[in-house]
């Protein structure tokens, strides 16, 4: 969603009352994308709304408002008890100030600093409207948490910022699909990753922590010292019988090798190397790694061996070239 920054500060938020008596809180500040160069207040004014001043308590009633506030607080807790206490109290304050008008009390609450501290992420880019109601947003975040619980993650403190950013943009079912995809891709390599992390860091982490680090860079940086990407690449090699060096796989990662490329490479590498040996060619895993990353000499060598195998035995490596790199090596 495009940003809509303020380009002229005026009075901020004010109340207006429509011809039918309905009261709204609108913004007088002019924003960059306001249609027709008219602020929200000006557009409502054009439609017949007039400035409105909500009724305020008199000083006498304010001095006697203890009972009124307690009643307002009970109403607030009944309606919004699922929200933080600071928000509940702010709603009660608005409810008491505006004579029990629930709509004005809610507008008053959402305009408060207390609300913006807790729910600033819920506003659309206009800074006024909400992506959804508070209870809907809490429900969406709970769905996100349930998805993570299914794969063993119980601590969500490092996910709060990501959850807030996704609300209104990523549906719970889409989040579930994303997590399922990553989980399916790495789940069968968790044992290798766990052992290699233990060797590298000297600490054994549980499956949930390892998986959390794969989907949240903050956890990777904090818990695993940024090692998870390198080690998951290495796990693909180790699971197929190839040797592992953290330094080597860290270099491959930095040069552009990702998990999908590693899986394709190491899954077929043994068969390719074996086929090359049948025609007297010495092809090693380093050459295949270099070819996959676009090294010119390695690419030429693999291409030449491929041609010889096809000529002598009708075997081809099925090497697909993309942007000068050999990818998707398979033995046909």
């Amino acid at each position: 969603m495009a940003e809509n920054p303020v380009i002229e500060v005026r009075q901020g938020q004010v109340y207006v009352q429509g011809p039918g008596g309905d009261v709204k809180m609108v913004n007088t500040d002019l924003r960059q994308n306001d249609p027709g160069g008219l602020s929200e207040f000006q557009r409502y004014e054009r439609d017949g709304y007039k400035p409105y001043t909500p009724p305020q308590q008199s000083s006498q009633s304010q001095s006697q408002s203890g009972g009124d506030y307690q009643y307002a607080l009970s109403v607030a807790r009944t309606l919004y008890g699922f929200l933080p206490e600071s928000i509940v109290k702010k709603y009660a304050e608005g409810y008491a100030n505006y004579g029990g008008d629930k709509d004005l009390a809610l507008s008053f609450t959402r305009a408060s600093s207390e609300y913006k501290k807790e729910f600033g992420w819920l506003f659309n880019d206009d800074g006024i409207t909400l992506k959804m109601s508070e209870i809907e947003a809490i429900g969406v975040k709970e769905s996100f948490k349930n998805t993570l619980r299914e794969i063993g993650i119980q601590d969500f403190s490092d996910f709060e910022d990501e959850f807030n950013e996704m609300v209104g943009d990523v549906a719970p079912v889409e989040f579930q699909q994303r997590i399922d995809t990553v989980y399916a891709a790495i789940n069968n390599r968790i044992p290798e990753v766990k052992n290699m992390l233990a060797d590298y860091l000297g600490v054994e982490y549980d499956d949930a922590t390892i998986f959390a680090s794969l989907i949240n860079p903050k956890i990777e940086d904090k818990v695993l010292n940024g090692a998870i990407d390198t080690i998951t690449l290495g796990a693909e090699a180790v699971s197929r019988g190839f040797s592992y060096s953290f330094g080597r796989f860290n270099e491959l990662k930095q040069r552009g090798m990702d998990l999908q490329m590693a899986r394709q490479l190491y899954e077929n590498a043994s068969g390719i190397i074996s086929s090359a040996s049948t025609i007297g060619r010495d092809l090693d895993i380093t050459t295949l790694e270099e070819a996959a990353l676009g090294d010119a000499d390695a690419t030429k060598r693999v291409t030449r061996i491929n041609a010889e195998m096809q000529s002598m035995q009708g075997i081809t490596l099925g090497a697909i070239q993309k942007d000068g790199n050999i990818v998707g090596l398979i033995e046909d």
Side-chain angles (χ1 to χ4, degrees), residues 28-43:
T28 62
D29 296 340
L30 182 62
R31 295 178 175 269
Q32 182 175 318
N33 298 326
D34 282 348
L38 298 176
S39 69
E40 185 184 32
F41 171 77
Q42 289 173 315
R43 297 196 300 275

Side-chain angles (χ1 to χ4, degrees), residues 7-34:
I7 59 175
E8 185 179 326
V9 177
R10 295 176 179 173
Q11 294 175 266
Q13 293 181 314
V14 298
Y15 290 101
V16 293
Q17 186 173 39
D22 57 311
V23 176
K24 298 180 180 294
M25 178 179 282
V26 300
N27 205 309
T28 62
D29 296 340
L30 182 62
R31 295 178 175 269
Q32 182 175 318
N33 298 326
D34 282 348

Side-chain angles (χ1 to χ4, degrees), residues 246-322:
F246 183 87
R248 172 60 176 167
F249 282 96
N250 196 44
E251 176 193 349
L252 294 176
K253 181 193 74 171
Q254 291 173 352
R255 289 171 57 192
M257 183 173 286
D258 59 20
L259 186 59
Q260 182 179 2
M261 185 186 300
R263 180 168 295 121
Q264 290 178 337
L265 172 63
Y266 298 114
E267 186 174 20
N268 299 289
S270 292
I272 294 169
I273 292 171
S274 177
S275 295
S277 69
T278 63
I279 63 168
R281 292 298 183 185
D282 182 17
L283 183 62
D284 58 25
I285 188 62
T286 300
T287 301
L288 293 177
E289 290 168 344
E290 293 297 323
L293 291 172
D295 179 82
D297 291 338
T299 300
K300 288 178 182 177
R301 178 168 173 73
V302 171
T303 301
R304 185 167 58 250
I305 293 175
N306 182 24
E308 290 182 26
M309 290 170 57
Q310 188 171 12
S311 173
M312 296 175 65
Q313 298 183 358
I315 298 174
T316 177
L317 300 183
I320 304 168
Q321 292 202 32
K322 179 181 179 183

Side-chain angles (χ1 to χ4, degrees), residues 101-128:
D101 189 310
K102 293 179 181 178
D103 291 336
L104 291 181
L106 186 56
S107 294
F108 171 81
T109 303
R110 288 173 173 168
S112 68
S113 59
E114 290 87 348
Y115 183 90
K116 291 176 181 177
K117 179 181 178 181
E118 297 286 348
F119 288 100
W121 48 269
L122 192 52
F123 286 96
N124 286 312
D125 291 333
D126 60 12
I128 302 169

Side-chain angles (χ1 to χ4, degrees), residues 145-160:
K145 292 177 182 179
N146 285 336
T147 294
L148 297 184
R149 288 188 184 101
E150 292 175 3
I151 56 173
I153 297 174
Q154 302 294 331
D155 182 359
F156 309 111
S157 56
D158 285 313
F159 287 91
E160 282 300 322

